[in-house]
Amino acid sequence: MDVLSSLRAARLVPVVVLDDAKDAAGLAGALVDGGLPVAEVTFRTAAAQDSIRTMADRGDMLVGAGTVLTVEQVDQAVAAGASYVVSPGLSRAVVERCAEHGVLALPGAVTATEIQAALELGLTTVKFFPAGTSGGAPAIAALAAPFTGVSFVPTGGVGPKNLQDYLGIAAVAAVGGSWMVPRDAVKAGDFDRIRTLTAEAVALVQG
């Protein structure tokens, strides 16, 4: 199964911020045990690369890099074992470097112009970010009408209360969220809480 198919199967992508790579193993275990063997580890902290390596080395989960802004970060993410790369916006340089590495690029795109630019780069799936302040599910439904072959991964402002609004749209491949991996719980090493929140999130998706 390819990366995009795996994301579609999961339907939900935990967006993770790790302040210390020593927490990566515990977090990965909690996600897998909670029934969601996938993660987007953001490059917002210096621990990102080592955290991705720790999680990818398990071999039983799909690990991507998030908040990737530069070609150098693409190289770092891929070297650490990331299977896909997520950016908040659309960068031709980042997308092209991902293609060179043979990894899936999911750039942010929330307007018709940005989506057309992504299509011109050969992409058919984009991150819709920040979803909550960019029109949410109604905006995606409206954009999906003219862009019939495009899939969206909405992230930002997504939670249990509006999750189904997004998942109910055929053009939505998966949804990114962080409520099941709260940063304070990660820092505190409260992986039991994360496992419980993850299992509850999976039940929401399946429900």
Side-chain angles (χ1 to χ4, degrees), residues 40-158:
E40 174 190 325
V41 181
T42 67
F43 261 75
R44 298 179 194 175
T45 71
Q49 189 175 10
D50 287 340
S51 298
I52 289 170
R53 182 173 291 108
T54 294
M55 298 170 82
D57 282 351
R58 287 175 57 102
D60 62 351
M61 67 184 301
L62 183 66
V63 186
T67 322
V68 173
L69 306 177
T70 66
V71 167
E72 291 74 22
Q73 288 177 330
V74 174
D75 293 342
Q76 292 168 10
V78 173
S83 297
Y84 62 99
V85 169
V86 185
S87 300
L90 179 63
S91 160
R92 173 182 285 273
V94 166
V95 170
E96 290 179 345
R97 183 56 66 92
C98 287
E100 290 172 13
H101 283 296
V103 299
L104 176 69
L106 288 175
V110 294
T111 67
T113 299
E114 291 167 348
I115 294 168
Q116 281 194 228
L119 287 171
E120 289 172 3
L121 290 173
L123 303 177
T124 56
T125 305
V126 297
K127 174 182 181 175
F128 190 82
F129 173 85
T133 56
S134 301
I140 294 175
L143 287 165
F147 295 109
T148 52
V150 175
S151 297
F152 299 84
V153 181
T155 308
V158 181

Side-chain angles (χ1 to χ4, degrees), residues 151-180:
S151 297
F152 299 84
V153 181
T155 308
V158 181
K161 292 182 179 179
N162 61 6
L163 177 64
Q164 293 301 336
D165 294 341
Y166 290 101
L167 291 178
I169 300 170
V172 169
V175 173
S178 57
W179 77 89
M180 77 296 294

